[in-house]
Amino acid sequence: MTERARYYITTPIYYVNDAPHIGHAYTSLACDVLARFMRLDGRKVWFLTGTDEHGQKVEKAAALAGMAPKDFTDKVAENFRALARAMNYSNDDFIRTTEPRHIRASQGIWKAIASSKSPKGRDNIYLGKYDGWYAVRDEAFYDEKELTTGPDGKKRAPSGAEVEWVEEPSSFFRLSDWQEWLLDYYERANPDFIGPATRRNEVISFVRGGLNDLSISRTSFKWGVPVPDAPAHIMYVWLDALTNYATAVGYPDTNAESFRTFWPCDLHMVGKDIVRFHTVYWPAFLMAAGVEPPKRVFAHGWWTNEGQKISKSLGNVIDPLELIKAYGLDPVRYFLLREVPFGQDGDFSRRAMVGRLNGDLANDLGNLAQRVLSFVQKNAGADVPTPGEFAEADNALLRQAHALAEVVRGHLTVGPNAPEFHRALEAVWAVVTAANAYVDKQAPWALRKTDTARMATVLYALMETLRAVAIALQPFMPESMAKLLDQLAVPADARTFAALDRALVPGTVLPVPSGIFPRHLDDAGR
Ligand code: MSP
């Protein structure tokens, strides 16, 4: 990732055929943490999320609900907005693909692609007929050779989605002519384009295997963006959907200030299931339209629930709102990014959730803060203590705490597998663990009777460590860390990553502390 003063980050836009679940919450949470980090690190940020409302999948869901597609999408899109509020996402915009600004942008990109030539000098769009397999659930076309036949005799896509045979007039995008260009883009022009490294390798070998032209319009249904000058054709929902990222910053008006400021997008965060659309089709569409491709696409893994695939038919969908109610918002945010190495698949279990909440949060961090702050309140005059000269043990802890800005920045932005949220959190917890060992060893409660000057130094070092930890954790747990920084009397303008090495001012009056992370008790109250 390059160092720039601005940062544009997007979530995928969510299909509105269904209620939001933990997988949706996860993609946007990762974006939110990065967006908050980038703002605290001095960048101007645009963070976009929204809903993908066209296509057969949504049309069918609306019919099933007995509603007109537009009424249905109005209703379901609202659930995704509610999720964004409940998860405390700091998104700057929420786009819906049914908005006029987006219809205009989608038709604009179509026209730009249609009037350009492929790298081999041929028209990028041509009219033909599609005869082949289509999976409505994935809104994707498949080759016969990619399919398997199940025991029920039905053909299925690699994702498990049922496919149907489609025969209809269709426009095609000349994707096959973009193969060399794409390979050059991944391997030479922008080696950071795809993360993590494993996904990058998969995409490169897929493209090396050869690309077929892509059907980009449908004529057998109506719920979508009409193709300019060919209203019997509806744009392929993925071409429409991908364009949302450009719509939101002003496309097709490429001279708009928002477009000039934020395009090309710095990061599209996606799940591993939709990598091909974002790393093969999207950069080719954009180049054909004469627009620079995004800087990076990162694919995270998938969650299972207590070892099982999450699916509506298995009845094991995890509702993020229910989790927040049971465990609290910030513990849920922390758990999702701490439990599983980002980029890999992970399993959700209530036991692991409670373990993290009671262990890492209530015990390690919450208890440390509560012990130190209530001790200062009762025994050190309720203001920031004045330290004497620091001993080596104090300096060692403070050095580790003050390095957090740099360390967290590194894990979130540097290397082929960045962002590595779990590593950033591990690094913060190494400091929390060191502070717990330090408080036990230095025993300020004993110093109260023997050496109050030394006690003040130790308490100061602990509060300084808590300040650095709280600043570093703000992107992950904004509400609780704001509370902790309030309790440390850190002014609002001294909470950025740049302010991490600005020390606490001795003598600052402290408010009465209160616990940040209550333990989770089971039904028996344990
Ligand atoms: N509408 C398309 C995206 C268009 S972007 C131009 C779409 N929508 S989705 O609602 O099906 O999925 C949105 C995101 O949620 C994807 O990134 C997907 O990977 C993620 N998840 C859905 N289920 C998931 C899990 N069980 N675990 C983790 N994330 C998963 O795809």
Side-chain angles (χ1 to χ4, degrees):
M1 248 179 266
T2 45
E3 285 294 323
R4 280 183 300 185
R6 57 88 181 168
Y7 193 75
Y8 179 24
I9 181 166
T10 69
T11 75
I13 45 172
Y14 298 98
Y15 285 130
V16 292
N17 62 319
D18 227 336
H21 63 65
I22 191 184
H24 306 127
Y26 185 56
T27 315
S28 303
L29 171 62
C31 293
D32 184 59
V33 170
L34 270 182
R36 287 177 184 272
F37 162 76
M38 291 295 173
R39 289 190 200 101
L40 286 166
D41 208 28
R43 289 183 182 77
K44 183 171 170 182
V45 170
W46 198 252
F47 164 22
L48 174 71
T49 184
T51 42
D52 186 354
E53 305 192 1
H54 290 132
Q56 257 177 309
K57 171 162 159 157
V58 173
E59 191 182 64
K60 281 191 173 173
L64 210 64
M67 294 172 81
K70 184 65 174 79
D71 296 338
F72 178 75
T73 57
D74 284 349
K75 180 166 155 250
V76 184
E78 208 33 63
N79 298 337
F80 283 89
R81 278 190 204 270
L83 176 71
R85 284 192 294 271
M87 289 291 295
N88 197 11
Y89 299 146
S90 59
N91 53 297
D92 298 283
D93 194 357
F94 186 101
I95 192 168
R96 298 183 54 192
T97 54
T98 45
E99 289 174 58
R101 61 172 170 163
H102 180 69
I103 312 290
R104 185 170 158 257
S106 303
Q107 293 185 330
I109 202 168
W110 182 287
K111 283 190 215 152
I113 299 172
S115 61
S116 69
K117 298 283 183 210
S118 78
K120 296 191 175 156
R122 301 192 279 184
D123 285 345
N124 269 317
I125 295 182
Y126 61 91
L127 209 54
K129 180 166 169 260
Y130 184 76
D131 289 312
W133 296 103
Y134 191 76
V136 174
R137 199 181 86 191
D138 302 344
E139 296 283 18
F141 301 94
Y142 289 102
D143 265 3
E144 177 84 41
K145 63 177 190 300
E146 294 178 279
L147 307 178
T148 49
T149 309
D152 53 3
K154 284 184 180 153
K155 284 189 188 288
R156 287 178 193 276
S159 62
E162 268 181 44
V163 293
E164 57 189 50
W165 184 257
V166 169
E167 275 187 33
E168 62 188 61
S170 170
S171 293
F172 284 81
F173 174 66
R174 191 116 29 207
L175 187 63
S176 56
D177 279 7
W178 288 87
Q179 180 181 358
E180 299 310 318
W181 182 86
L182 283 166
L183 287 171
D184 181 70
Y185 188 66
Y186 309 141
E187 289 177 323
R188 191 195 53 80
N190 184 2
D192 291 337
F193 183 52
I194 306 166
T198 47
R199 301 284 167 223
R200 177 174 186 267
N201 297 339
E202 282 166 18
V203 172
I204 292 178
S205 67
F206 169 75
V207 174
R208 274 218 192 98
L211 295 172
N212 294 329
D213 290 349
L214 182 70
S215 164
I216 53 165
S217 78
R218 304 284 310 271
T219 41
S220 54
F221 69 99
K222 284 271 154 261
W223 182 237
V225 180
V227 169
D229 310 318
H233 288 248
I234 295 297
M235 278 173 65
Y236 174 38
V237 65
W238 269 100
L239 171 52
D240 146 6
L242 287 160
T243 304
N244 91 87
Y245 304 130
T247 308
V249 289
Y251 190 81
D253 182 1
T254 50
N255 282 321
E257 198 190 327
S258 51
F259 196 85
R260 283 191 285 118
T261 309
F262 289 110
W263 198 265
C265 184
D266 294 272
L267 181 63
H268 293 317
M269 181 67 75
V270 300
K272 64 177 185 180
D273 53 320
I274 55 176
V275 172
R276 193 180 295 182
F277 303 97
H278 283 82
T279 60
V280 182
Y281 305 165
W282 181 225
F285 290 153
L286 283 169
M287 278 312 287
V291 177
E292 207 179 319
K295 297 276 160 212
R296 185 163 168 86
V297 175
F298 187 96
H300 64 66
W302 267 48
W303 283 90
T304 49
N305 182 4
E306 313 275 354
Q308 275 195 317
K309 183 176 179 336
I310 299 177
S311 91
K312 207 170 155 187
S313 52
L314 288 173
N316 65 352
V317 170
I318 306 167
D319 174 4
L321 303 182
E322 189 264 315
L323 284 187
I324 296 170
K325 213 159 126 203
Y327 306 109
L329 170 61
D330 282 351
V332 169
R333 290 175 58 112
Y334 172 78
F335 173 79
L336 291 174
L337 293 177
R338 175 65 189 83
E339 186 65 9
V340 177
F342 199 62
Q344 293 177 25
D345 292 341
D347 185 44
F348 180 88
S349 84
R350 297 205 172 243
R351 214 188 133 109
M353 171 76 232
V354 172
R356 291 282 176 198
L357 167 50
N358 288 347
D360 303 7
L361 297 179
N363 250 1
D364 299 351
L365 177 56
N367 213 10
L368 173 71
Q370 185 65 13
R371 265 164 101 193
V372 170
L373 291 172
S374 41
F375 188 85
V376 170
Q377 193 71 211
K378 287 197 201 100
N379 304 303
D383 54 23
V384 176
T386 305
E389 201 169 319
F390 291 125
E392 183 39 39
D394 314 333
N395 279 326
L397 181 65
L398 289 171
R399 263 197 308 273
Q400 208 184 340
H402 289 152
L404 277 178
E406 193 62 39
V407 170
V408 167
R409 184 183 298 122
H411 290 310
L412 298 188
T413 63
V414 181
N417 298 328
E420 296 183 288
F421 298 106
H422 58 291
R423 286 195 199 281
L425 290 170
E426 270 165 23
V428 178
W429 253 260
V431 175
V432 172
T433 305
N436 274 310
Y438 172 91
V439 77
D440 289 344
K441 181 130 190 262
Q442 303 297 325
W445 42 88
L447 292 169
R448 187 167 69 93
K449 299 194 191 99
T450 55
D451 187 348
T452 50
R454 176 69 193 145
M455 175 188 83
T457 309
V458 167
L459 291 173
Y460 183 86
L462 283 163
M463 288 182 61
E464 213 6 56
T465 303
L466 283 169
R467 185 186 65 87
V469 163
I471 288 181
L473 288 178
Q474 287 173 104
F476 296 89
M477 298 188 283
E479 273 177 4
S480 340
M481 292 305 109
K483 203 165 149 192
L484 181 52
L485 289 165
D486 289 347
Q487 295 186 20
L488 291 161
V490 176
D493 64 357
R495 297 181 179 191
T496 60
F497 272 59
L500 201 137
D501 53 15
R502 223 188 283 167
L504 285 168
V505 181
T508 310
V509 177
L510 296 166
V512 178
S514 62
I516 329 166
F517 297 116
R519 284 180 71 79
H520 180 80
L521 302 176
D522 63 19
D523 294 340
R526 283 187 295 260

